[in-house]
Amino acid sequence: MNNAQMKSRGNLYYPGMFDLIKGIAMISIVMTHAQNSLGKEAFFTKDALPIMSFFGYIGDLTSFGSAAMPMFLLVSGYGFRIAKNNLKCIKKQAKLLLKPFIIVACLTTILHLIVHYIAFRYLPGSIQATVCVGLGYLLGASRTFYISGLTVCSIGAVWFLLTLFVGWIGLNFVLTKVQEKYVPWVVLVIFIIGRFLCFLPAIPYCLVQGVIAIPYLYMGWQIKKRDWLIKKLPVLICIGMIGLSIFVVKFGEFRLADAYIKYGFIELIGNGCLAFLVMWIGLRVNRFSFPLKDSICMIGRYSLWIMCVHTIEQQALPWYLLYEKLPNMEVYWLYIISLVAKGFLIYIGYRFLIWNNQRKIKKRRGERRNRNVH
């Protein structure tokens, strides 16, 4: 799409047009994880429940109910480009998604061992706990499960990288190997298979989540291809999407990381509708200026980097010790302390990644100039 087409459509299409909603969703993910990292004992006490319920409500609101992950997938699908060679597609996505995952896995495992030994001064226990974390990354565990009494820990937020890797490759395979007229039917079959795979025990490498991701990625691709964010949709379709969105917000419980879907197919469809509405609204709100907008958009622009840094601090550091070491402090103050500390660590890590990326870009430019000179 060229600049003239963008301007003719009211300047709705532009680079970074979904950064705002991605940034809001990323902030909500960190808020929710900051709450969970204190441990259930902390925020389910009688005194803490009202204020922590308030923070939980804010987290749910800013993550658009349970549509944050479907929204990320729809946005990813919106930028999907078909690679004619599936092998090249696998190599490219491995570099973009698996390489960061492996780096996060190694750093988290090493830091987990060091930090837990410093915190507890007990090497056998630190090694045992770190082995559980390492097994989680080795098996790509999106949720915690047990093998012969051994705990396999969840890999944290980077389960999304594996999900996106599986989903992207799967969609590219479908679009390159299936005749165009049959593609919607194949995606529908994948949609049905993904729902029934949720009934199985934990499957490694986020394969179930990846299968579920394929219809969402396809939907995002169709949204761009058919200009659904610009065109006026039929009134009945709009009413149906709004109705399903209200249903999943009010009654639904969709946790893609856990492959848990309370109301099955209707909730999968409803979250897709809600994610689409979030994109539609966010695209229009993003045209206006307001305080902190640039900062939120920056978070959205680098959301995958921030997700990686957040996973490292979330998994490697024993945040639950805040509640154990400061039992007399109000829980909401502990929550605020952990949230500020997480924010600081994420900011430092994210700034380092930006600096490192800019350094590599300058190095590549310098190498090109040298080649041109010679």
Side-chain angles (χ1 to χ4, degrees):
M1 189 178 296
N2 57 40
N3 292 331
Q5 287 175 309
M6 292 182 186
K7 290 178 181 178
S8 68
R9 297 179 180 190
N11 288 326
L12 283 175
Y13 289 109
Y14 47 87
M17 57 191 181
F18 298 120
D19 286 348
L20 180 64
I21 55 175
K22 287 162 60 182
I24 292 172
M26 198 65 236
I27 291 170
S28 77
I29 289 169
V30 175
M31 286 179 63
T32 303
H33 289 173
Q35 186 177 15
N36 295 340
S37 63
L38 292 177
K40 293 181 179 180
E41 297 82 2
F43 57 85
F44 280 145
T45 59
K46 183 179 179 181
D47 295 333
L49 191 56
I51 188 70
M52 297 313 290
S53 296
F54 170 75
F55 283 126
Y57 174 76
I58 296 298
D60 288 342
L61 183 65
T62 52
S63 63
F64 318 117
S66 55
M69 290 300 106
M71 183 271 295
F72 274 116
L73 290 170
L74 257 63
V75 169
S76 298
Y78 193 90
F80 184 87
R81 292 183 179 181
I82 302 174
K84 294 181 179 179
N85 189 314
N86 281 287
L87 184 58
K88 287 184 178 179
C89 177
I90 293 172
K91 289 179 179 178
K92 182 179 180 180
Q93 295 309 310
K95 183 178 179 180
L96 291 173
L97 299 171
L98 292 190
K99 184 179 177 181
F101 175 82
I102 293 170
I103 292 172
V104 169
C106 294
L107 287 177
T108 303
T109 305
I110 293 168
L111 282 174
H112 187 279
L113 178 60
I114 295 171
V115 171
H116 279 71
Y117 176 70
I118 293 172
F120 299 102
R121 296 293 177 180
Y122 182 59
L123 187 58
S126 300
I127 292 174
Q128 184 178 4
T130 301
V131 167
C132 296
V133 172
L135 275 175
Y137 283 103
L138 194 62
L139 297 175
S142 62
R143 52 180 168 171
T144 300
F145 60 92
Y146 304 91
I147 300 177
S148 301
L150 185 66
T151 303
V152 178
C153 293
S154 162
I155 59 177
V158 289
W159 66 266
F160 184 77
L161 298 181
L162 293 180
T163 297
L164 190 56
F165 176 75
V166 174
W168 194 283
I169 291 171
L171 179 59
N172 194 79
F173 184 84
V174 170
L175 293 177
T176 54
K177 298 299 182 182
V178 178
Q179 291 185 33
E180 187 175 354
K181 62 181 179 180
Y182 297 123
V183 168
W185 299 105
V186 172
V187 173
L188 178 62
V189 171
I190 292 171
F191 173 73
I192 295 170
I193 292 172
R195 170 63 188 111
F196 285 107
L197 286 176
C198 295
F199 294 114
L200 300 176
I203 296 177
Y205 309 116
C206 298
L207 295 177
V208 174
Q209 290 81 358
V211 171
I212 294 173
I214 292 174
Y216 285 127
L217 290 170
Y218 179 73
M219 181 178 174
W221 185 63
Q222 287 293 318
I223 287 171
K224 183 176 183 179
K225 186 178 179 182
R226 300 179 182 277
D227 280 336
W228 286 342
L229 288 172
I230 302 297
K231 290 180 179 178
K232 289 185 178 180
L233 299 177
V235 175
L236 288 178
I237 290 179
C238 293
I239 293 173
M241 286 197 299
I242 293 170
L244 284 171
S245 299
I246 293 172
F247 174 82
V248 296
V249 169
K250 183 69 177 177
F251 304 106
E253 189 176 355
F254 176 44
R255 300 192 301 273
L256 184 56
D258 298 332
Y260 178 80
I261 311 163
K262 187 176 182 180
Y263 290 107
F265 294 112
I266 190 171
E267 192 163 359
L268 284 170
I269 297 170
N271 276 292
C273 293
L274 179 56
F276 172 80
L277 293 176
V278 169
M279 289 173 65
W280 190 92
I281 295 169
L283 187 58
R284 285 153 178 81
V285 172
N286 200 26
R287 291 186 295 174
F288 300 98
S289 296
F290 51 85
L292 298 178
K293 179 193 171 184
D294 289 342
S295 298
I296 296 172
C297 288
M298 187 67 73
I299 293 171
R301 190 168 305 135
Y302 295 102
S303 55
L304 285 182
W305 290 10
I306 291 172
M307 185 182 293
C308 291
V309 177
H310 168 54
T311 299
I312 294 171
E313 56 84 9
Q314 176 78 4
Q315 298 290 101
L317 304 182
W319 293 102
Y320 56 87
L321 287 181
L322 278 175
Y323 181 67
E324 293 183 8
K325 299 297 183 182
L326 301 170
N328 297 324
M329 183 177 284
E330 296 288 352
V331 173
Y332 56 84
W333 281 117
L334 293 176
Y335 172 71
I336 292 171
I337 290 170
S338 69
L339 191 59
V340 171
K342 283 174 178 289
F344 175 75
L345 293 172
I346 290 171
Y347 178 78
I348 296 298
Y350 137 81
R351 292 305 303 181
F352 171 77
L353 289 173
I354 290 179
W355 170 82
N356 189 53
N357 187 56
Q358 290 173 344
R359 182 183 62 82
K360 289 180 179 179
I361 291 173
K362 289 180 181 178
K363 184 179 179 181
R364 284 196 293 267
R365 286 175 179 171
E367 290 173 351
R368 286 197 205 102
R369 282 196 295 268
N370 291 335
R371 283 199 299 267
N372 292 335
V373 170
H374 297 294

